[in-house]
Amino acid sequence: MFNLLLIAIITLSIHASSAMADHWGKPKLRGAGPWKMNISVSTYNGTNLKINKKGNTLVKHAGVPNLVNLKGRPRVYFQWLPIQKSLHRNFDHIAFVDLTNGRWSPPKIIKIPFKTREQYPVDPTVVNLKNGNVRMYFTSVSKRGTYIGSAQSSDGINFSIEKGTRLAINNVNVRDSAVIFFGGKWHLISPSHKGDARGFYATSSNGLDFKRQTDVSLQVRGEWLGNMVKTNGKVYFYGTGFIASTKNFKNWSLVSKHKLQDPAVLISSDKTIIVSTTR
């Protein structure tokens, strides 16, 4: 979703800064950029495996949403780019909102260390771990290009970077990962960003050491830019332009098409929540 953001990070000369700095400095309010996006939310009764509506605005000037059930509470992590002067300190940081008693909380940024502001994590994907912690997979940048890294947290707010890279591909700026645990393995998919519905696919036994597998693909226009959920013994990928399902990550079936970008879903016994990036 944030191609413009990552291209600018790589191509512009950005100086090192403190641990609470951002990529852009003050937002260019008159220019084009990911701050023109919003996050929308829709709620359905019961299990819903299709996207039937765009939904209502949840967070303005934000994108790359990811939904996770954090200790019984739905939480949306996302990239926040508020344009209000009073919120410039939060511009281009990862933030979250919680759903409690039918109401969404105001955005709050996470705390995560980094050396230089071009290395600040973007494109969050958060998963629950067996030890009660959460792990965030994110996109970061090195001299060789972008890669998928990770960080862990016990409270979902204060994160510690985990050493090494989760996935890096020579001559490819891999980014915007979706991750899920299924069938005794961790599965990671990142889009090609070429509109060809092809995704880079890797697996891991521990969620840290990923090995690249055969790319995933569909005969449909769209991107493997989105999030995964498991239900009814299958994994459903809510991608940009499509929803697909699989039982083995080798054979994928097209479930439906839609017009939303980077959707994420949380399915419980009584309702389904879908968030997405919209203009």
Side-chain angles (χ1 to χ4, degrees):
M1 186 65 245
F2 284 92
N3 294 349
L4 291 174
L5 176 62
L6 290 168
I7 291 171
I9 292 170
I10 296 169
T11 57
L12 294 179
S13 174
I14 303 178
H15 299 290
S17 186
S18 67
M20 293 305 294
D22 55 67
H23 295 134
W24 292 88
K26 292 183 179 180
K28 302 174 183 178
L29 302 184
R30 296 182 181 178
W35 49 85
K36 296 291 186 180
M37 302 293 189
N38 300 322
I39 294 175
S40 296
V41 60
S42 299
T43 302
Y44 302 86
N45 293 325
T47 299
N48 184 77
L49 298 175
K50 293 185 179 180
I51 295 178
N52 302 317
K53 54 186 177 181
K54 183 178 71 172
N56 300 316
T57 298
L58 175 61
V59 183
K60 292 184 177 180
H61 313 294
V64 199
N66 171 246
L67 257 171
V68 63
N69 189 326
L70 192 66
K71 299 179 180 179
R73 177 183 300 172
R75 173 172 289 185
V76 182
Y77 286 94
F78 55 91
Q79 205 76 26
W80 195 25
L81 299 108
I83 63 174
Q84 300 94 318
K85 289 184 178 180
S86 61
L87 296 174
H88 280 182
R89 66 185 181 280
N90 299 324
F91 189 81
D92 191 26
H93 283 74
I94 292 174
F96 65 88
V97 293
D98 291 324
L99 180 62
T100 306
N101 297 324
R103 297 178 65 89
W104 291 97
S105 66
K108 182 177 181 179
I109 62 171
I110 68 166
K111 296 180 180 179
I112 190 167
F114 58 98
K115 295 180 180 179
T116 59
R117 60 186 178 185
E118 69 265 31
Q119 293 178 320
Y120 183 88
V122 296
D123 311 325
T125 294
V126 179
V127 299
N128 289 292
L129 302 178
K130 288 184 177 180
N131 62 3
N133 291 354
V134 294
R135 173 173 288 135
M136 175 180 290
Y137 294 90
F138 55 79
T139 305
S140 192
V141 64
S142 68
K143 294 180 179 179
R144 297 182 178 182
T146 59
Y147 64 89
I148 304 302
S150 67
Q152 195 167 153
S153 172
S154 61
D155 61 8
I157 300 174
N158 299 280
F159 284 83
S160 298
I161 299 289
E162 296 176 303
K163 293 182 179 180
T165 62
R166 309 288 75 83
L167 181 65
I169 302 174
N170 290 336
N171 302 316
V172 174
N173 281 315
V174 60
R175 54 190 182 269
D176 296 303
S177 65
V179 182
I180 196 169
F181 186 79
F182 182 78
K185 292 182 180 180
W186 290 96
H187 302 264
L188 183 155
I189 297 177
S190 291
S192 66
H193 286 292
K194 294 182 179 180
D196 56 0
R198 182 171 65 91
F200 307 115
Y201 172 49
T203 60
S204 171
S205 60
N206 59 10
L208 295 173
D209 303 306
F210 282 86
K211 182 179 179 180
R212 188 178 176 187
Q213 308 293 338
T214 302
D215 293 348
V216 294
S217 63
L218 277 177
Q219 296 299 314
V220 64
R221 292 180 60 85
E223 293 280 6
W224 293 84
L225 175 62
N227 293 271
M228 291 183 276
V229 64
K230 54 185 176 182
T231 186
N232 300 325
K234 295 182 180 180
V235 168
Y236 289 81
F237 194 104
Y238 280 65
T240 297
F242 66 86
I243 300 173
S245 68
T246 186
K247 291 183 178 180
N248 56 19
F249 281 81
K250 294 180 180 179
N251 306 110
W252 289 86
S253 299
L254 180 65
V255 175
S256 62
K257 299 178 182 179
H258 61 82
K259 297 182 179 180
L260 300 187
Q261 297 179 339
D262 205 358
V265 62
L266 188 62
I267 299 175
S268 64
S269 59
D270 61 338
K271 65 181 176 181
T272 299
I273 303 172
I274 299 176
V275 295
S276 64
T277 303
T278 57
R279 291 187 182 276

